[in-house]
Amino acid sequence: MGPIGVFDSGYGGLTILHGIRQVLPEYDYLYLGDNARAPYGSRSFEIIYQFTRQAVLKLFEYGCELVILGCNTASAKALRSIQQHVLPETFPDRRVLGVIRPTVEVIGDLTKSRHVGILATEGTINSRSYEMEIAKLHPDIKVSGQACPLWAAIVEADEADSPGADYFVKKRIDQLMRKDPLIDAIILGCTHYPLLMNSIVKNIPDGVRIVPQGQYVAESLKDYLTRHPEMECRITREGTCRYLTTENEEKFQEHAQIFLNESIDVRQIDLNR
């Protein structure tokens, strides 16, 4: 038995962790941020797979039976390979889930025009993961994507409410809406982006719905555990949450306060060992 593992390339996955803990507070959690090698957004498929695989194996070492990739880039570029190769060959009883599928499953109920936009990192947009997953479940929906360079960096610099943030947020939203003015729902395809919500709401056209992921990932995980009691019984239940980082511990604590309203204890680790 062990905690639920949550992995992200940096800090954005803390928004996913927060959403999960709001819905499922009774379980234990272990968060791992590969902050020393972030951001992942513009890296190649091969490097992202290598880094994500290292992180998943490390969380397995710490006793996690179930790992959530709380990172859109890792979910887009590494999840399928891990599910198809790493787990069957070495860890057939463990599971790794992502954050893209839960959002895709509900998007059909959130759009009336059947035109959906994606705001995400360059890596997630280039992977076309959202387009492919939406096409499987909702073939009538047209998807348009827009990469948002600097958005994650703005959040981690604690500049989410600055005039500079407004400029870059408006620029990318305008670009997306020019691609398809019929969009009536926009998925925030990066876990950093909910912290830009004030600026996003200010610059979004009237009638367009914003779709953050935390709530839907949490509800999907709750449903998954209900449907898989053989996994649910292997998760410890003391309501604890621990944190690991590949960066400096003090730096992680400082940045994590942007995402969490609580003090945390964190331990630095090396994924190459």
Side-chain angles (χ1 to χ4, degrees):
M1 296 181 67
I4 295 173
V6 179
F7 167 69
D8 186 36
S9 59
Y11 301 96
L14 294 170
T15 63
I16 298 296
L17 175 63
H18 176 73
I20 292 173
R21 292 180 70 196
Q22 293 291 107
V23 174
L24 300 166
E26 67 272 26
Y27 297 108
D28 294 325
Y29 298 92
L30 180 61
Y31 182 88
L32 169 56
D34 189 12
N35 310 88
R37 301 189 294 196
Y40 281 14
S42 60
R43 293 184 183 270
S44 68
F45 275 80
E46 293 76 14
I47 293 298
I48 291 170
Y49 170 70
Q50 175 187 329
F51 288 176
T52 304
R53 180 179 179 276
Q54 286 179 330
V56 168
L57 294 180
K58 183 63 69 173
L59 286 168
F60 285 172
E61 284 182 28
Y62 276 85
C64 298
E65 300 285 327
L66 173 65
V67 172
I68 310 297
L69 300 186
C71 171
N72 283 271
T73 304
S75 295
K77 293 190 173 185
L79 177 61
R80 188 177 300 276
S81 294
I82 289 173
Q83 290 177 332
Q84 292 180 344
H85 302 294
V86 177
L87 298 185
E89 294 171 6
T90 316
F91 301 97
D93 295 327
R94 304 199 188 192
R95 295 292 179 266
V96 180
L97 307 176
V99 293
I100 293 177
R101 183 78 178 191
T103 314
V104 168
E105 287 174 347
V106 300
I107 195 61
D109 297 327
L110 304 179
T111 173
K112 295 180 179 178
S113 71
R114 316 310 281 176
H115 291 251
V116 170
I118 312 293
L119 296 170
T121 65
E122 180 183 2
T124 298
I125 295 298
N126 289 343
S127 75
R128 300 184 68 249
S129 293
Y130 274 99
E131 293 176 61
M132 292 186 288
E133 289 298 322
I134 289 175
K136 293 175 187 176
L137 296 184
H138 314 286
D140 62 318
I141 292 180
K142 178 183 177 182
V143 180
S144 300
Q146 176 61 52
C148 302
L150 300 180
W151 280 27
I154 288 170
V155 170
E156 294 198 3
D158 201 12
E159 295 288 337
D161 295 317
S162 69
D166 267 355
Y167 170 81
F168 287 109
V169 167
K170 184 179 188 309
K171 179 178 180 180
R172 299 309 176 189
I173 290 175
D174 289 349
Q175 287 177 329
L176 177 63
M177 297 306 299
R178 281 197 296 270
K179 291 179 180 178
D180 185 359
L182 296 179
I183 288 171
D184 71 347
I186 297 178
I187 295 173
L188 300 185
C190 174
T191 51
H192 283 73
Y193 295 176
L195 277 81
L196 290 164
M197 191 64 77
N198 289 339
S199 185
I200 292 171
V201 169
K202 189 190 308 180
N203 291 288
I204 211 76
D206 291 340
V208 177
R209 181 170 189 164
I210 303 300
V211 185
Q213 296 175 297
Q215 168 191 347
Y216 302 109
V217 172
E219 292 296 340
S220 178
L221 178 58
K222 180 179 180 180
D223 177 66
Y224 177 87
L225 293 175
T226 300
R227 291 185 292 106
H228 294 85
E230 76 285 355
M231 174 60 71
E232 196 276 341
C233 71
R234 290 153 58 192
I235 300 169
T236 51
R237 293 166 163 260
E238 295 184 6
T240 66
C241 189
R242 295 179 293 146
Y243 299 85
L244 304 172
T245 179
T246 56
E247 246 288 6
N248 175 272
E249 295 168 358
E250 291 183 2
K251 183 176 180 181
F252 183 90
Q253 288 176 324
E254 177 184 346
H255 280 74
Q257 291 178 356
I258 300 171
F259 297 83
L260 302 172
N261 295 316
E262 60 180 296
S263 59
I264 64 171
D265 291 322
V266 59
R267 176 185 171 192
Q268 184 179 11
I269 62 168
D270 186 348
L271 290 181
N272 292 308
R273 294 180 181 175

